[in-house]
Amino acid sequence: MNVLTDNFRTYARGFLGTVELTVYASVLALVLGFLMASFRVAPVGSLRILGTAWVTVLRNTPLTLLFFAVLLGLPRFGLVLPFQVFAVLALGCYTSAFICEALRAGINTVPKGQGEAARSLGMTFGQTLSLVILPQAFRSVIPPIGSTLIALAKNSAIAGAFSVTELLGTYKTLSELGYNIVWTFVWIAVGYLVITLAISALFNVLERRWGVAR
């Protein structure tokens, strides 16, 4: 316990850093994921191409490479932001591709008659998607979206290699101070467990309330 008690502030800073990264990147991933899923089923060909390209590129790009591209590449084009913001962009964009595919799979489970009925009533594509299709699709994709955001929380550990304060990076400080590396990682693992269990509990509540009965 002395590893934790003697360095509680260090662990707390890392833990809060990981929580912040997870929350901000999750919001960005959900917004972009919903947007790209809408593009992928849009009647406009150029939007479908954009959505497909977004998903194809990001799903097949290693996350570490994306971190390098964002944190080291964007400043070369004059975009200088705090490293934490760059990390949120990398995590959010990467995860949005998986959110998009999960949501698109949910959209495909909605009977085509639902959309046809909405269009027969004079509803536009945007109204049909937002008021009829997406609410039904979301109910069936709550579990996979939850799993994707749990993966995001664990992927945030990569940010520590780019000078971003997060939980895994605390091992460097404690190792330099001579603390037992095994117990250092044990408490880091406990921190990640708390975060992932909290996300899992949240989505279990959402699934019980709005999920499709199986």
Side-chain angles (χ1 to χ4, degrees), residues 180-209:
N180 186 302
I181 194 67
V182 173
W183 284 106
T184 297
F185 278 110
V186 165
W187 290 113
I188 289 174
V190 170
Y192 279 107
L193 185 63
V194 170
I195 294 171
T196 56
L197 287 179
I199 297 173
S200 179
L202 172 61
F203 277 85
N204 283 338
V205 171
L206 293 177
E207 186 176 11
R208 285 196 301 270
R209 184 167 182 177

Side-chain angles (χ1 to χ4, degrees), residues 140-159:
S140 65
V141 299
I142 292 175
I145 288 179
S147 298
T148 301
L149 295 185
I150 287 174
L152 184 155
K154 293 184 287 187
N155 287 338
S156 67
I158 297 176

Side-chain angles (χ1 to χ4, degrees), residues 77-131:
F77 295 94
L79 184 58
V80 180
L81 297 170
F83 273 14
Q84 186 180 30
V85 176
F86 283 134
V88 168
L89 289 174
L91 282 169
C93 291
Y94 178 80
T95 308
S96 70
F98 297 90
I99 296 289
C100 171
E101 286 301 274
L103 191 56
R104 188 170 72 94
I107 291 174
N108 290 335
T109 65
V110 179
K112 292 183 179 180
Q114 298 281 332
E116 293 172 354
R119 286 192 295 272
S120 70
L121 294 174
M123 297 177 70
T124 64
F125 170 75
Q127 291 173 328
T128 301
L129 189 66
S130 61
L131 300 177

Side-chain angles (χ1 to χ4, degrees), residues 12-26 28 63 66-67 70-72 74-75 79-93 152 155-167 195:
R13 283 196 301 270
F15 180 83
L16 292 176
T18 295
V19 170
E20 288 181 358
L21 280 175
T22 301
V23 171
Y24 295 146
S26 294
L28 179 61
L63 181 54
L66 186 60
F67 263 89
V70 172
L71 274 80
L72 303 181
L74 291 182
L79 184 58
V80 180
L81 297 170
F83 273 14
Q84 186 180 30
V85 176
F86 283 134
V88 168
L89 289 174
L91 282 169
C93 291
L152 184 155
N155 287 338
S156 67
I158 297 176
F162 296 90
S163 302
V164 177
T165 301
E166 51 79 43
L167 188 56
I195 294 171

